[in-house]
Amino acid sequence: RKDMEAKKKYSKDEPIDNPYKENFISKSLVGDNTSSLSDGAGVRIAIIDAPIDIHALGMQQTTTHGSKVSHVIDCTEGVETMLFDSALLDDNHVLGAAGNIIKIHPSWINPSGIWKTGFKRLAELASGVVWDQIQAGYTKKKQLMYTNLDILPKTEVDAEPSSKSLDIAESDHKKRFVDSLAQIEKIIGLKYDPLIQVLAFFDGDDWNCVVGFFDQDLSQLTPCKEYEKSGMNILLIPELELYLNFNIWDGGAKVSLTISGNHGTHVASIAAGNCIEDTDLNGIAPGAELISLNIYDPALSGMESNLSISRALQLAREYNCDLINMSFSEDGRFGNNCEISRAFHTLLHEGQ
């Protein structure tokens, strides 16, 4: 933005050259060896934001074929779910934390025999744009379901009605029925907010987690290890391509469930997207590795808190990040001696 004339001269044939890119990525971060690392390879960037969607374009691998996103970690408290030791009813069933019976697949390896269960409402995990997408998807699915219902009242008639008149009558009746249901739901404020059930177990090496809706048979789902171990996350709502990340804390006492966010993915793509099929869509440092540190708390309508930011900054230090991206703002007043201020001071002035 320093040279505003460059913006005026911009055209598709003459793209703007970024005079700061080489200094920013090569010299400042990787020293004198700029010939092979000018794309940010070897650089680790912490994205302190909403969780990155690892399935988004450019978020799969670096230019050196390493994982683009190496860790996805929740730093809030709002998405934590308590896990309880659950009673084994027989070899294939446990009693869930919500009082439901959960079926276990016989292939799941659990040497300790301890099964952890918990539950969470969907509304406690999603907010903002993601919540709106979930509601819109449910409304579309519901309307389709209502349209396919056989709800035409059965009446005795002297003469058999024509097929055409019957179709018109049924269509009109269904429309009135769907409109009435929509009006009722609007009045009472009905939202799609199902219960999500969680089953966790330790296979001797790593924690595994199975997550599904309350009416799902969890034994038909595939257990998933934490992202940094498996490079995978949990597909919760296939039609919306809605994925869940999870972190197990305190030796299995609780689990954090986070839904991949739009904004975190957006800024991560700008910083380090690596689009193999179309390099014109690359970010500033396509070779860089990313660590996703979630600070967006659904319990605060997607806002960040002092605690979540402080946790994220601490983790950025622990994982030896070279850069930190923070693209958020909230109204607030922070004194020079607050926890966040001290964390910034340590990062900037102590070089840690």
Side-chain angles (χ1 to χ4, degrees):
R1 304 184 190 282
K2 193 173 182 179
D3 184 3
M4 295 304 294
E5 291 300 315
K7 186 176 181 181
K8 295 178 182 177
K9 296 176 182 178
Y10 171 75
S11 71
K12 290 185 178 180
D13 297 328
E14 298 180 22
I16 297 175
D17 180 50
N18 181 355
Y20 308 103
K21 181 175 180 179
E22 184 177 350
N23 283 335
F24 181 63
I25 296 300
S26 302
K27 296 178 181 177
S28 299
L29 298 176
V30 298
D32 296 329
N33 185 15
T34 59
S35 59
S36 62
L37 299 178
S38 60
D39 67 353
V43 174
R44 178 175 284 181
I45 305 175
I47 304 294
I48 299 181
D49 208 286
I52 297 172
D53 182 358
I54 63 168
H55 302 276
L57 185 66
M59 291 292 106
Q60 284 70 55
Q61 64 181 33
T62 66
T63 53
T64 55
H65 309 293
S67 294
K68 170 58 68 176
V69 184
S70 60
H71 298 76
V72 181
I73 305 174
D74 175 54
C75 301
T76 72
E77 287 187 322
V79 294
E80 289 181 354
T81 300
M82 298 301 297
L83 293 175
F84 303 92
D85 291 353
S86 296
L88 192 64
L89 300 177
D90 56 41
D91 291 341
N92 298 314
H93 299 85
V94 297
L95 183 63
N100 57 315
I101 297 175
I102 299 176
K103 188 177 180 181
I104 301 168
H105 198 278
S107 67
W108 296 349
I109 300 173
N110 183 6
S112 69
I114 298 175
W115 302 92
K116 301 272 191 175
T117 64
F119 59 91
K120 200 82 169 176
R121 286 174 42 240
L122 183 59
E124 296 178 275
L125 304 178
S127 62
V129 174
V130 174
W131 179 248
D132 293 340
Q133 289 173 340
I134 292 172
Q135 295 305 315
Y138 169 68
T139 299
K140 184 177 180 180
K141 183 177 180 180
K142 179 182 59 180
Q143 289 175 340
L144 180 62
M145 178 185 69
Y146 287 158
T147 302
N148 292 330
L149 286 175
D150 181 14
I151 56 175
L152 187 65
K154 303 298 182 183
T155 57
E156 293 184 6
V157 292
D158 296 333
E160 190 70 26
S162 68
S163 174
K164 184 175 180 181
S165 63
L166 187 62
D167 288 343
I168 294 173
E170 184 173 16
S171 174
D172 183 60
H173 188 80
K174 283 183 178 179
K175 184 178 184 305
R176 292 199 304 270
F177 176 75
V178 173
D179 290 346
S180 298
L181 285 178
Q183 186 65 22
I184 293 171
E185 291 183 2
K186 183 177 180 180
I187 293 172
I188 65 177
L190 184 64
K191 297 291 184 182
Y192 176 61
D193 186 17
L195 205 62
I196 293 173
Q197 55 180 336
V198 181
L199 175 69
F201 60 94
F202 192 73
D203 64 11
D205 295 313
D206 302 300
W207 281 99
N208 293 259
C209 203
V210 186
V211 181
F213 292 109
F214 199 71
D215 58 353
Q216 278 185 290
D217 179 2
L218 296 191
S219 69
Q220 299 303 307
L221 304 179
T222 302
C224 186
K225 300 181 189 297
E226 289 182 281
Y227 175 75
E228 62 185 84
K229 298 289 183 68
S230 66
M232 300 173 61
N233 49 23
I234 298 170
L235 180 59
L236 184 66
I237 306 179
E239 55 266 32
L240 296 180
E241 297 185 355
L242 194 70
Y243 290 88
L244 271 181
N245 306 291
F246 75 93
N247 303 110
I248 299 286
W249 305 108
D250 300 340
K254 54 189 176 182
V255 60
S256 291
L257 300 171
T258 54
I259 295 176
S260 300
N262 298 332
H263 192 267
T265 307
H266 180 185
V267 297
S269 298
I270 294 173
N274 179 36
C275 304
I276 300 172
E277 296 181 358
D278 187 355
T279 56
D280 287 342
L281 299 177
N282 280 359
I284 297 171
E289 170 196 340
L290 300 175
I291 290 182
S292 178
L293 301 174
N294 175 52
I295 59 168
Y296 282 11
D297 194 337
L300 302 175
S301 298
M303 288 175 57
E304 58 280 347
S305 66
N306 291 3
L307 177 62
S308 62
I309 296 172
S310 298
R311 282 179 172 179
L313 292 172
Q314 177 63 30
L315 285 170
R317 289 179 57 195
E318 292 179 8
Y319 283 96
N320 298 314
C321 293
D322 301 290
L323 289 171
I324 299 175
N325 182 89
M326 293 181 289
S327 302
F328 56 86
S329 65
E330 302 291 350
D331 293 334
R333 297 174 182 174
F334 301 101
N336 290 332
N337 293 319
C338 71
E339 189 174 356
I340 294 177
S341 180
R342 289 192 293 272
F344 276 122
H345 186 277
T346 299
L347 283 168
L348 296 174
H349 298 288
E350 297 180 16
Q352 300 177 350

